[in-house]
Amino acid sequence: MQSRYWLALGLSVLGGLAQAQSAHSSQTAYYAPAYIQKSAFLVDWYQEPSDFPHGRSRMVDRDGVVTGSWALENAGRMMNLDSPRVMDGGTLFDRCGQKVPIRITQKRFFFKTTGGFDRRGQTAITVDEQGVISEGCEAGRILWSFNVADATTPYNHLQMRARKGHDDLTGGGRLAGLSEALRTDSGNSWQMPQDVTRFERGRSVVRFERTGTRVPYTEGPTGWLVLNFPWGQRAYTRLERDTYDAEAWLMADLQDGEPKWVEEVHAVKPLRSASFGELNNTARVWQAGFTLHQPEAWFLQRLFRDGSGERGAWNSLTEVGSFSPMTWRYEGANVVHRIPHGGTDYRLRTWEPIRTAGSLQWVMEEDIVYPANGDPWTFTPRRVHLQVDKGPSQPFLAKRQTSQSLVSSPAEAPNSGLRNALAPSLQLRRW
């Protein structure tokens, strides 16, 4: 009788341990390193009690939520979706001259750690995906096909329990990078203007400084700052800050308290002292931060002392560039570029300095098109953007440009970012 009792007790304990093991999960964020713009993933890995790790998984990205089963395969985690995800891939004109829709289908995702540890490191993410014309005289034609075996450049990964907190903000801090705009579809997050926000001290309210909108917020038990808009809940959480002042955040709209999509946001804490300085400090070569670690595709803007300038691409490997003229001027502390935009139209691109750190100049950038006939329209909504001082400016168009005129910045982060081996749905959607 006593042996039966101990046997029952032992089985009960083992059952409890198995239940606890089966409930074990790890939530991990996958996102870009500093300055690089690309999609993000938030994955819950649920592990079953087994010698061979496997289990269920739930993944949220810019396109929504999917679930599946995962198992170890080829030294990584293969996630097989419960059912293929089918998405709108835009349109194109087929050979019959008809505008036809593209259908994107995804079946599997493969996550392979390439550096670091489970807690923090780098992970290559690939996908089985096809883009197919779904209607018209070319219905069924495959436009692209990607496989989980493809090569790619890794994302950063971070277990969510290791992320940074928000105590520096909730007591009256300021942050540039949040948005109050409504997201209408999975592809328009880059069209959502960003703002500088202040978390009002002791009021549980965040104020968007440009519009004056005041929104109540709470910090939820899962470590997200939840902003309660009239149209719903938007949540933000800080992942990390680097030594170059860049901050990586996740942004999500919530449904029943859970993210229904996630997107990476680059943010920075503004400084009142931010400035381009005097003429000699402004008339420089400025490299767009998103090309900082792409030597084959630098995007540069050269500002000259007389108010003229040039903008375009420079390949530092081949020392070949292509530039077009522009002009610039000061408007208070801001720098405004006037850029030709076909015929008599022009664009005004404004750089509002928000944080200066050595050769790094963080700005709020906005680009508006002014047609000769018609109303102005937004070319690039207001956004946090990094510009890097690359040294004295010499005109390329006048054939006086040399590779030596591009002075290397002492504050350059390690080279890591998406290199376009992934499917279009995972690639950069911002210029």
Side-chain angles (χ1 to χ4, degrees):
M1 187 72 178
Q2 190 175 12
S3 62
R4 289 184 181 178
Y5 169 78
W6 287 112
L7 177 61
L9 180 61
L11 291 174
S12 176
V13 171
L14 289 175
L17 289 174
Q19 186 176 8
Q21 284 181 311
S22 65
H24 171 71
S25 67
S26 172
Q27 189 177 61
T28 304
Y30 302 87
Y31 58 100
Y35 319 121
I36 308 300
Q37 299 279 356
K38 64 181 179 186
S39 55
F41 304 85
L42 183 61
V43 184
D44 286 288
W45 301 105
Y46 302 97
Q47 183 170 326
E48 300 296 334
S50 172
D51 292 336
F52 183 79
H54 67 283
R56 298 287 298 163
S57 51
R58 180 181 186 272
M59 184 183 80
V60 190
D61 61 9
R62 62 154 52 104
D63 295 303
V65 181
V66 292
T67 58
S69 299
W70 71 270
L72 289 184
E73 185 174 323
N74 297 327
R77 289 180 175 181
M78 184 72 73
M79 178 182 177
N80 290 278
L81 302 187
D82 290 334
S83 58
R85 176 158 69 172
V86 180
M87 301 180 295
D88 176 16
T91 59
L92 56 70
F93 286 94
D94 64 12
R95 60 180 173 82
C96 299
Q98 299 298 311
K99 192 175 184 179
V100 294
I102 301 169
R103 182 181 67 248
I104 297 175
T105 303
Q106 298 174 337
K107 297 182 178 180
R108 297 188 299 171
F109 287 81
F110 184 57
F111 296 76
K112 185 171 183 177
T113 300
T114 60
F117 304 93
D118 286 345
R119 183 179 177 88
R120 181 192 298 270
Q122 297 79 43
T123 295
I125 305 174
T126 49
V127 60
D128 278 346
E129 177 177 295
Q130 278 193 344
V132 178
I133 296 177
S134 58
E135 296 179 11
C137 64
E138 292 187 282
R141 175 187 162 199
I142 298 174
L143 299 174
W144 69 81
S145 182
F146 292 86
N147 189 273
V148 292
D150 293 338
T152 189
T153 302
Y155 285 68
N156 284 345
H157 73 248
L158 180 73
Q159 289 190 356
M160 291 293 276
R161 64 175 179 266
R163 74 197 124 148
K164 298 292 184 181
H166 312 115
D167 290 347
D168 58 316
L169 295 175
T170 54
R174 299 170 72 231
L175 185 73
L178 307 193
S179 177
E180 60 182 300
L182 184 64
R183 181 180 188 257
T184 57
D185 64 66
S186 63
N188 83 332
S189 57
W190 66 274
Q191 296 175 334
M192 296 164 58
Q194 297 175 303
D195 200 353
V196 176
T197 52
R198 176 180 289 278
F199 292 80
E200 296 187 359
R201 192 183 306 274
R203 295 179 181 271
S204 298
V205 169
V206 61
R207 179 170 62 87
F208 290 82
E209 293 187 353
R210 193 179 202 191
T211 64
T213 303
R214 299 174 75 250
V215 183
Y217 76 90
T218 58
E219 183 160 12
T222 57
W224 290 73
L225 295 174
V226 181
L227 280 60
N228 294 284
F229 288 95
W231 45 261
Q233 291 184 319
R234 171 157 299 156
Y236 290 91
T237 190
R238 175 192 277 148
L239 298 175
E240 66 174 2
R241 287 183 290 189
D242 71 7
T243 56
Y244 307 96
D245 302 314
E247 300 194 14
W249 287 65
L250 287 183
M251 170 178 66
D253 283 351
L254 303 184
Q255 185 172 355
D256 299 325
E258 295 288 341
K260 61 181 181 180
W261 55 263
V262 297
E263 188 79 86
E264 182 180 5
V265 172
H266 289 167
V268 67
K269 295 179 73 172
L271 294 175
R272 299 288 187 188
S273 59
S275 171
F276 278 94
E278 298 181 354
L279 180 61
N280 286 342
N281 302 111
T282 310
R284 311 280 287 180
V285 177
W286 295 98
Q287 180 182 351
F290 64 85
T291 68
L292 184 58
H293 309 300
Q294 300 177 16
E296 73 285 358
W298 285 4
F299 187 83
L300 303 178
Q301 297 179 92
R302 297 189 179 96
L303 308 183
F304 308 125
R305 288 176 55 85
D306 63 357
S308 64
E310 299 168 352
R311 62 190 302 273
W314 171 263
N315 188 317
S316 67
L317 299 178
T318 62
E319 297 188 355
V320 173
S322 176
F323 293 84
S324 57
M326 53 170 277
T327 59
W328 70 277
R329 67 178 187 270
Y330 289 111
E331 284 190 2
N334 299 344
V335 171
V336 179
H337 308 165
R338 182 181 172 117
I339 303 167
H341 188 72
T344 56
D345 296 358
Y346 63 92
R347 293 157 47 191
L348 292 183
R349 168 169 288 180
T350 301
W351 284 352
E352 175 191 341
I354 55 173
R355 188 179 183 97
T356 306
S359 62
L360 304 183
Q361 182 66 260
W362 293 93
V363 301
M364 294 299 288
E365 177 182 87
E366 187 174 40
D367 202 334
I368 307 296
V369 176
Y370 292 85
N373 299 299
D375 296 327
W377 54 275
T378 301
F379 187 85
T380 304
R382 194 165 183 253
R383 61 177 180 176
V384 174
H385 203 6
L386 174 66
Q387 298 296 330
V388 184
D389 181 355
K390 302 299 290 187
S393 54
Q394 298 181 31
F396 177 86
L397 297 178
K399 306 300 182 183
R400 294 197 299 269
Q401 174 64 40
T402 66
S403 60
Q404 287 75 23
S405 69
L406 295 180
V407 179
S408 296
S409 167
E412 293 190 355
N415 181 5
S416 57
L418 188 60
R419 286 289 193 246
N420 289 340
L422 292 178
S425 63
L426 302 185
Q427 290 179 16
L428 171 69
R429 291 191 182 180
R430 306 175 80 170
W431 69 273

